[in-house]
């Protein structure tokens, strides 16, 4: 029995060392220089990024971040003409046409009071020092919420339009959600088109 114990201990040690080696290979790449300079953001990890360049008018660039569950977050792309103006965005007005999108309250499982919007439906007006720009829905779907924070904090659009400065959340029908990949530019094509690094 005494001869078996060292063998068992040796086997256990070898197994532990093998497991540690496997874990090390999973966590540490063979070539550390191949790692990106910064880790991917939550948007890059959890959403497919699509862009509507020159949507209905030149310079009216918008993004559509599509989650795996189909939800779409819509906002202003970094190359939108409003950002090129002196001082950027000064205010946001959700009162477009016959309805104020910020007063809409969607409730319950069946999304009572939600409005179905077309791609060209207005979500809000973004106002700069000299101009105002209409932000469109871009995708056909049910408007679940608008970012009410932008009314009091329009500067969120200038500082973090792709995160806290989003405009609205839309829920397209599954068939329409799948069309997003074909109807818009992916991040790489958008960067090439706009000459971004």
């Amino acid at each position: 029995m005494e001869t078996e114990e060292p063998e068992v201990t040796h086997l256990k040690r070898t197994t532990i060392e093998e497991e540690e080696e496997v874990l090390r290979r999973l966590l540490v790449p063979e070539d550390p220089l191949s790692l990106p300079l910064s880790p991917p953001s939550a948007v890059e990890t959890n959403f497919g990024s699509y862009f509507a360049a020159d949507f209905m008018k030149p310079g009216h660039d918008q993004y559509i971040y599509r989650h795996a569950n189909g939800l779409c977050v819509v906002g202003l792309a970094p190359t939108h003409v409003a950002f090129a103006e002196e001082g950027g965005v000064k205010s946001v007005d959700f009162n477009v046409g016959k309805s104020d999108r910020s007063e809409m309250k969607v409730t319950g499982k069946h999304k009572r009071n939600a409005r179905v919007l077309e791609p060209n439906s207005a979500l809000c007006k973004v106002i700069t020092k000299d101009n105002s720009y209409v932000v469109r829905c871009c995708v056909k779907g049910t408007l679940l919420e608008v970012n009410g924070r932008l009314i009091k904090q329009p500067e969120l659009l200038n500082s973090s339009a792709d995160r806290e400065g989003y405009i609205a959340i839309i829920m397209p029908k599954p068939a329409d959600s799948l069309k997003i990949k074909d109807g818009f530019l992916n991040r790489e094509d958008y960067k090439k088109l706009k000459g971004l690094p």
Side-chain angles (χ1 to χ4, degrees), residues 11 23 97 124 163:
L11 286 175
L23 285 173
C124 69
R163 295 182 306 279

Side-chain angles (χ1 to χ4, degrees), residues 39-167:
S41 69
V43 169
E44 293 169 336
T45 305
N46 299 317
F47 292 83
S49 300
Y50 302 95
F51 294 84
D54 303 318
F55 193 74
M56 299 188 70
K57 289 185 179 179
H60 287 230
D61 302 337
Q62 293 181 230
Y63 66 76
I64 301 99
Y65 294 154
R66 182 183 174 276
H67 194 271
N69 65 9
L71 281 177
C72 293
V73 178
V74 176
L76 299 183
T79 54
H80 193 281
V81 289
F83 299 132
E85 292 197 24
E86 183 184 338
V89 177
K90 299 290 183 192
S91 64
V92 177
D93 185 6
F94 286 102
N95 189 357
V96 288
K98 299 176 182 176
S99 65
D100 187 342
R101 306 276 191 225
S102 65
E103 292 179 359
M104 182 195 76
K105 301 293 181 222
V106 177
T107 58
K109 180 179 173 183
H110 298 289
K111 309 299 181 217
R112 279 186 218 91
N113 302 323
R115 302 268 320 263
V116 176
L117 301 178
E118 295 296 321
N120 64 348
S121 297
L123 290 172
C124 69
K125 285 182 275 189
V126 172
I127 300 152
T128 62
K129 181 180 174 186
D130 299 319
N131 296 301
S132 71
Y133 302 96
V134 175
V135 179
R136 306 283 176 177
C137 191
C138 291
V139 293
K140 181 179 180 179
T142 304
L143 177 62
L144 298 183
E145 76 173 57
V146 295
N147 187 357
R149 288 177 63 190
L150 295 178
I151 297 169
K152 292 182 179 176
Q153 297 176 285
E155 65 276 3
L156 287 174
L157 276 172
N158 300 319
S159 61
S160 60
D162 62 335
R163 295 182 306 279
E164 292 90 358
Y166 72 93
I167 300 292

